[in-house]
């Protein structure tokens, strides 16, 4: 027996859309302060987060009640615009709404020195709305429209500080590369429509015609560009490095990973052979690992370094998914979702703490991080925790995720998988070359005279609005470090869903 749909993604989408319009109109009409806009945005994300948690619990209860329920592709796809329930999309959307809530709170202080806050929060909400719509779309044209909503909002947010030449350059580069990807995706959808006569994913099964095959390849290539898979990665370090730190935290933390998951799920549903797809992704992942880590060694700008770190981390995630597809490995797929969560927490924490350093002491380049010693120790400790987790030192989640991934690799008898595991290890060792200097610099004292009593009295204190999100992320990382099995149990449904698509 198939249970009725308990998941209604259109409700969060409608709520987010209405809130973006409300905040924009209220800000323009009543001149409400930045902190009020931030709290309204945070409230909207928190409401959607709570709704998703509630619906997920209802679904699990109903799933246990109906023994005949089967969580397979046939039950999830329909002729409607959205999936009825999709555990991978729920997993990523929960991370998305959680991070968006914390980022909105963070911006209550962080955006005080910026203009046009009335445009920032609606764009942030629309970007989250676009990513959520993509995650749940079961119709290629609906997926494309939400992809454009997400992308256009992201372009504007990257170039938000339009008086800065580097921000405009990064936003323009992101716009050009993203537009090329969108055109390729749209061309792929057109070819798929020619082949199947439908844009519903449920109707696109079994065709071997050349329009269907080329359309699937175009769809795959376009999303590889948006996922920053090498060699289509060149936009990411500039975009993530020049955007406001709060936006960089979201873009690097979950947006790129969410787009990659959409590509993986839809490409499989279009009939792409999972072994071939896994092999292609495996090759691309190894390029990501090596290029991201090697380029990270020569960076002087902190956020640009973190951007290349994201490219390398995408390589680890992609490799886990590729091995899972090639070898039908549930553990490899599960490790991929584990690393997605671990990376989202650590990379968001790194960018938010970097924003604190820039906001209070003007630290942009790596050498400027020495100025952090003039601030309270908390942001420096938080930055250290994020870097240690990203560098995969025990017992932090980055280490646990990579340990699980390597365990799944070495359990395989596939020689290519074993060789990939060695590259995986080599990339992790290379990453120490740029992670450890960050730790050494952040905890070193600047070479200057000892401040007098008046300087000590006027030393700045970190705002609560910026400290609270950082504290939540630190606690989350420490919790997963102590109880990693909780995250493993949470991600198993998403891994089972992908496994069901390749069998």
């Amino acid at each position: 027996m198939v249970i009725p749909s308990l998941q209604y993604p259109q409700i969060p989408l409608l709520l987010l859309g209405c809130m973006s319009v409300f905040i924009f109109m209220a800000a323009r009409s009543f001149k409400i302060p930045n902190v009020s806009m931030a709290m309204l945005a945070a409230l909207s994300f928190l409401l959607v987060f709570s709704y998703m948690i509630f619906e997920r619990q209802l679904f699990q209860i109903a799933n246990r009640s109906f023994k005949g329920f089967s969580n397979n592709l046939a039950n999830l796809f329909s002729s409607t615009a959205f999936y009825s329930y999709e555990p991978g999309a729920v997993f990523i959307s929960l991370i998305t709404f959680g991070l968006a809530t914390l980022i909105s709170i963070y911006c209550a202080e962080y955006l005080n020195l910026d203009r046009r806050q009335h445009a920032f929060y609606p764009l942030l909400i629309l970007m989250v709305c676009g990513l959520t719509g993509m995650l749940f779309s079961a119709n290629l044209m609906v997926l494309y429209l939400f992809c454009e909503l997400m992308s256009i909002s992201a372009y504007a947010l990257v170039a938000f500080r339009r008086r800065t030449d580097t921000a405009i350059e990064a936003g323009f580069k992101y716009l050009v590369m993203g537009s090329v990807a969108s055109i390729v995706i749209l061309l792929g959808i057109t070819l798929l429509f020619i082949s199947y006569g439908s844009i519903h994913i449920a109707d696109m099964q079994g065709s071997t015609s050349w329009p269907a095959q080329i359309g699937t390849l175009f769809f795959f290539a376009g999303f590889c560009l948006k996922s920053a898979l090498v060699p289509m990665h060149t936009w990411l370090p500039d975009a993530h490095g020049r955007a406001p730190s709060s936006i960089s935290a979201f873009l690097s933390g979950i947006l790129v990973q969410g787009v990659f998951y959409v590509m993986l799920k839809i490409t499989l549903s279009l009939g792409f052979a999972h072994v071939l797809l896994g092999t292609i992704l495996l090759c691309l992942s190894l390029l990501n690992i090596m290029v991201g880590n090697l380029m990270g060694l020569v960076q002087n700008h902190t956020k640009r370094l973190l951007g290349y770190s994201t490219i390398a981390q995408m390589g680890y995630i992609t490799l886990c998914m590729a091995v899972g597809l090639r070898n039908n490995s549930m553990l490899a797929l599960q490790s991929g979702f584990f690393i997605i969560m671990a990376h989202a927490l650590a990379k968001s924490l790194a960018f938010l703490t970097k924003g604190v350093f820039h906001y209070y002491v003007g630290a942009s380049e790596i050498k400027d991080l020495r100025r952090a010693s003039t601030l309270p120790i908390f942001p420096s400790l938080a930055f250290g925790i994020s870097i240690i987790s990203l560098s995969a030192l025990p017992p932090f989640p980055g280490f646990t995720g990579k340990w699980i991934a390597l365990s799944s690799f070495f359990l395989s008898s596939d020689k290519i998988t074993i060789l990939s595991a060695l590259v995986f290890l080599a990339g992790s060792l290379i990453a120490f070359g740029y992670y450890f200097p960050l730790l050494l610099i952040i905890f070193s004292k600047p070479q200057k005279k000892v401040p007098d009593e008046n300087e000590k009295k006027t030393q700045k204190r970190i705002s609560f609005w910026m400290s609270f999100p950082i504290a939540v992320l630190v606690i989350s990382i420490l919790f997963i470090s102590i109880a990693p099995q909780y995250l493993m149990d949470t991600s198993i449904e998403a891994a089972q869903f992908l496994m069901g698509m390749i069998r």
Side-chain angles (χ1 to χ4, degrees):
M1 178 180 180
V2 179
I3 65 174
S5 171
L6 294 173
Q7 190 77 25
Y8 298 100
Q10 57 269 37
I11 294 178
L13 297 176
L14 287 172
L15 175 61
L16 293 175
C18 292
M19 284 301 296
S20 66
V21 174
F22 175 77
I23 292 174
F24 181 80
M25 297 302 295
R28 293 302 298 267
S29 303
F30 303 105
K31 307 296 182 182
I32 61 176
N34 175 55
V35 65
S36 299
M37 289 185 279
M39 291 304 101
L40 285 173
L43 178 62
S44 63
F45 292 130
L46 186 60
L47 287 174
V48 176
F49 180 84
S50 302
Y51 171 83
M52 297 293 287
I53 290 287
F54 177 71
E55 286 290 338
R56 184 174 182 271
Q57 295 298 323
L58 283 182
F59 184 88
Q60 290 176 337
I61 293 171
N63 190 8
R64 289 192 294 267
S65 302
F66 295 91
K67 296 181 180 180
F69 173 70
S70 176
N71 187 20
N72 57 26
L73 194 62
N75 292 331
L76 291 170
F77 286 114
S78 67
S79 60
T80 61
F82 298 102
Y83 295 106
S84 59
Y85 179 83
E86 205 274 79
V90 173
F91 179 84
I92 294 177
S93 63
L94 287 175
I95 301 174
T96 299
F97 295 128
L99 288 182
T101 302
L102 297 177
I103 287 169
S104 298
I105 296 172
Y106 179 89
C107 288
E109 173 67 25
Y110 181 68
L111 284 187
N112 276 342
L113 302 181
D114 289 281
R115 301 178 181 180
R116 301 183 300 119
Q117 295 101 332
H118 66 276
F120 179 89
Y121 296 103
L123 286 171
L124 175 62
I125 294 173
L126 290 176
M127 182 172 63
V128 173
C129 182
L131 178 58
T132 306
M134 288 177 63
L135 288 168
F136 286 99
S137 294
N139 178 302
L140 288 183
M141 188 51 64
V142 172
L143 186 149
Y144 176 78
L145 293 175
F146 275 112
C147 180
E148 286 301 284
L149 176 64
M150 178 201 72
S151 299
I152 293 172
S153 301
Y155 304 151
L157 288 170
V158 167
F160 181 72
R161 289 171 174 158
R162 59 185 180 182
R163 300 183 184 276
T164 306
D165 292 339
T166 53
I168 294 297
E169 180 186 356
F172 183 75
K173 187 175 183 179
Y174 190 16
L175 169 65
V176 171
M177 298 289 284
S179 298
V180 170
S182 297
I183 292 171
V184 173
I185 292 170
L186 185 59
L187 180 58
I189 294 174
T190 302
L191 291 172
L192 289 168
F193 176 75
I194 291 173
S195 178
Y196 293 103
S198 174
I199 55 176
H200 295 296
I201 299 173
D203 301 329
M204 297 182 180
Q205 299 289 329
S207 176
T208 57
S209 64
W210 70 264
Q213 295 180 357
I214 296 178
T216 302
L217 287 176
F218 280 176
F219 188 91
F220 173 75
F223 272 97
C224 281
L225 198 160
K226 287 186 176 288
S227 302
L229 297 183
V230 176
M232 297 169 282
H233 68 289
T234 54
W235 59 269
L236 189 146
D238 292 322
H240 294 197
R242 296 301 179 182
S245 292
S246 54
I247 297 303
S248 300
F250 186 84
L251 296 177
S252 276
I254 194 59
L255 185 139
V256 175
Q257 294 77 12
V259 171
F260 170 76
Y261 174 75
V262 171
M263 180 271 290
L264 184 65
K265 175 181 63 176
I266 302 300
T267 305
L268 285 172
S269 68
L270 292 176
F272 205 116
H274 66 88
V275 176
L276 177 60
L277 178 60
T279 303
I280 295 173
L281 290 177
L282 187 145
C283 296
L284 295 176
S285 68
L286 298 183
L287 290 174
N288 268 62
I289 291 171
M290 299 310 297
V291 170
N293 286 319
L294 290 174
M295 290 300 295
L297 292 173
V298 296
Q299 301 305 312
N300 296 319
H301 193 277
T302 308
K303 288 174 66 177
R304 189 174 175 85
L305 182 150
L306 292 174
Y308 277 109
S309 168
T310 298
I311 293 173
Q313 295 289 333
M314 276 301 300
Y316 302 135
I317 294 168
T318 304
L319 183 57
C320 292
M321 299 301 186
V323 171
L325 295 178
R326 277 177 54 87
N327 302 330
N328 289 349
S329 172
M330 174 74 74
L331 186 60
L333 295 175
Q334 201 169 356
S335 67
F337 285 105
F338 192 103
I339 296 176
I340 286 175
M341 179 66 168
H343 173 260
L345 295 175
K347 186 57 63 68
S348 299
L349 179 59
F351 274 113
L352 293 186
T353 49
K354 168 59 181 65
V356 170
F357 301 146
H358 184 267
Y359 185 83
Y360 286 102
V361 297
S364 295
E365 296 189 356
I366 294 174
K367 63 182 180 181
D368 298 333
L369 293 178
R370 290 188 177 91
R371 303 175 191 169
S373 61
T374 62
L375 296 174
I377 191 63
F378 173 67
S380 296
L381 288 176
F383 188 78
I385 290 174
S386 68
I387 295 301
I388 291 173
S389 183
L390 289 171
S391 60
L393 289 179
F396 291 97
F399 169 80
T400 307
K402 289 186 178 180
W403 180 268
I404 298 169
L406 287 171
S407 299
S408 67
F409 297 167
F410 286 115
L411 286 174
S412 172
S413 58
D414 182 15
K415 294 181 180 179
I416 296 179
T417 300
I418 300 299
L419 180 62
S420 301
L422 298 179
V423 177
F424 188 100
L425 285 170
S428 299
L429 292 175
I430 294 172
F432 289 138
Y434 59 84
Y435 283 135
F436 277 177
L438 288 177
L439 295 176
L440 293 176
I441 292 174
I442 197 70
F443 291 110
S444 64
K445 294 183 178 180
Q447 297 178 353
K448 66 175 186 177
K449 65 179 182 178
V450 178
D452 58 26
E453 292 299 322
N454 291 330
E455 289 176 328
K456 290 181 180 179
K457 290 179 181 179
T458 59
Q459 189 179 47
K460 294 181 180 179
R461 297 178 61 184
I462 307 300
S463 166
F464 166 79
W465 300 115
M466 301 177 83
S467 299
F468 177 76
I470 292 173
V472 172
L473 290 171
V474 168
I475 292 171
S476 300
I477 290 174
L478 295 178
F479 173 76
I480 296 176
S481 302
I482 297 171
Q485 189 59 43
Y486 177 81
L487 181 53
M488 288 293 290
D489 294 339
T490 304
S491 62
I492 191 170
E493 288 183 359
Q496 288 174 343
F497 170 72
L498 282 183
M499 184 62 69
M501 295 186 72
I502 65 179
R503 285 179 177 174

